[in-house]
Amino acid sequence: MATNTASAAAPEAGDPLAVLGALPGVPDAVESVRQAVDQVYGHRVMRRRSDEVASEAALRGARASAALAGADWSLEEVRRRSDFSVGGEAHTVGAALRLTAEAGRLLAVWRRSPVQALARLHLVAAGGVAEEITVGRPRLAGETVAEPLVGLAAVPLPEPGEVAARLDALAGLLRTGTAAPALVAGAVVHGELLCLRPFGSFNGPVARAAERIVLVGSGLDPKSVCPAEVGYAELGRADYLKALDGYASGTPEGMAEWIAHCGRALELGVRESVAVCEALQRGAA
């Protein structure tokens, strides 16, 4: 993780994620997210039909993640289709759907070895692509990155050696544990993976799936009913990339901007699931 937060107060020695949690504006974002999540978890529909809400959240989150990766299909089209094996946009949508399903099965692996979990996520996302694309491991020297998110190329692509070192550092932080709020930890995982682009393809969908794992595993969203991906898509690619530039800068201001953006996206995802709860309550879904 490339940060430059020396000027920020350090509430936890040796816990850089907790330092980020104390940046100006971040505690407010954390509290706003907590209140939003409490709203959906307190909805009466969640007592009896949380599985249905989670299923709908997974579908909508996957559709939104695919849209950010260049396959902006309607929700109705995603529901209608059953074959995502063909190339192009269909494969991107299928990858997002597979990632969302796989994320829920990787909590134990993530706690033990985040890098191993990331490799599994990439393998699942890239299933069925051309043989020349190496899957399931970080890229090596000379290997290219095919990233469909327009504008991501503006963030400098680190060399494989730096990628490996930063992945190991991030994994070490996650295994050790942090006092940072789940929003902060998830935002850092998401931003770091987008900047590193450790794999030859599907880095965006993998990064968003990894954030989902952090939010679920932290206990903030244990039932996985808060699809932040919906919020990222609603806020738009331009704001997404602008906020990512802030993360890539490593400055306190830039990091705070990225975390706040992730918080806004999560709140919008919560709003989507509250609407699903209301529809279920009315018998309209």
Side-chain angles (χ1 to χ4, degrees):
M1 180 177 63
T3 62
N4 178 21
T5 57
S7 61
E12 296 286 342
D15 189 350
L17 298 186
V19 173
L20 298 179
L23 291 175
V26 173
D28 290 340
V30 169
E31 177 60 19
S32 184
V33 163
R34 185 192 65 77
Q35 291 181 10
V37 172
D38 285 349
Q39 181 184 9
V40 69
Y41 273 87
H43 199 286
R44 60 187 302 175
V45 167
M46 287 290 292
R47 294 184 212 138
R48 301 186 308 275
R49 305 180 70 177
S50 62
D51 287 348
E52 293 174 69
V53 179
S55 178
E56 188 65 20
L59 183 68
R60 296 182 183 215
R63 189 220 69 82
S65 187
L68 286 167
D72 192 2
W73 288 15
S74 69
L75 192 60
E76 291 72 22
E77 177 68 8
V78 177
R79 291 189 202 279
R80 183 185 69 81
R81 291 286 287 268
S82 59
D83 181 9
F84 298 95
S85 61
V86 296
E89 291 189 1
H91 189 76
T92 298
V93 175
L97 290 167
R98 292 191 299 272
L99 280 170
T100 301
E102 188 68 15
R105 296 192 280 264
L106 286 176
L107 289 174
V109 178
W110 181 268
R111 294 187 183 102
R112 183 176 67 252
S113 175
V115 175
Q116 182 182 345
L118 289 171
R120 174 61 187 170
L121 286 173
H122 186 248
L123 188 65
V124 167
V129 296
E131 294 180 359
E132 64 266 19
I133 298 178
T134 301
V135 300
R137 65 158 175 79
R139 56 189 167 84
L140 302 177
E143 293 180 342
T144 60
V145 174
E147 191 61 58
L149 181 59
V150 177
L152 192 56
V155 178
L157 185 68
E159 292 296 323
E162 181 183 350
V163 170
R166 286 170 63 174
L167 279 179
D168 285 345
L170 180 63
L173 286 175
L174 295 170
R175 285 195 303 268
T176 300
T178 177
L183 171 64
V184 174
V188 168
V189 167
H190 184 173
E192 191 74 353
L193 291 174
L194 281 179
C195 288
L196 292 179
R197 281 153 287 171
F199 304 107
S201 59
F202 297 104
N203 289 288
V206 166
R208 291 183 286 275
E211 181 185 46
R212 177 182 285 266
I213 292 175
V214 173
L215 297 177
V216 171
S218 69
L220 177 66
D221 181 23
K223 296 183 182 293
S224 195
V225 296
C226 305
E229 304 94 331
V230 169
Y232 293 121
E234 185 172 337
L235 291 168
R237 290 189 189 184
D239 283 356
Y240 189 56
L241 293 170
K242 181 177 180 293
L244 181 63
D245 283 339
Y247 179 91
S249 75
T251 65
E253 297 79 11
M255 299 292 284
E257 179 186 359
W258 170 249
I259 294 167
H261 183 80
C262 293
R264 289 192 294 273
L266 186 54
E267 289 184 59
L268 289 171
V270 169
R271 187 180 69 179
E272 187 88 354
S273 286
V274 170
V276 169
C277 287
E278 294 293 330
L280 288 170
Q281 186 168 276
R282 295 192 306 269

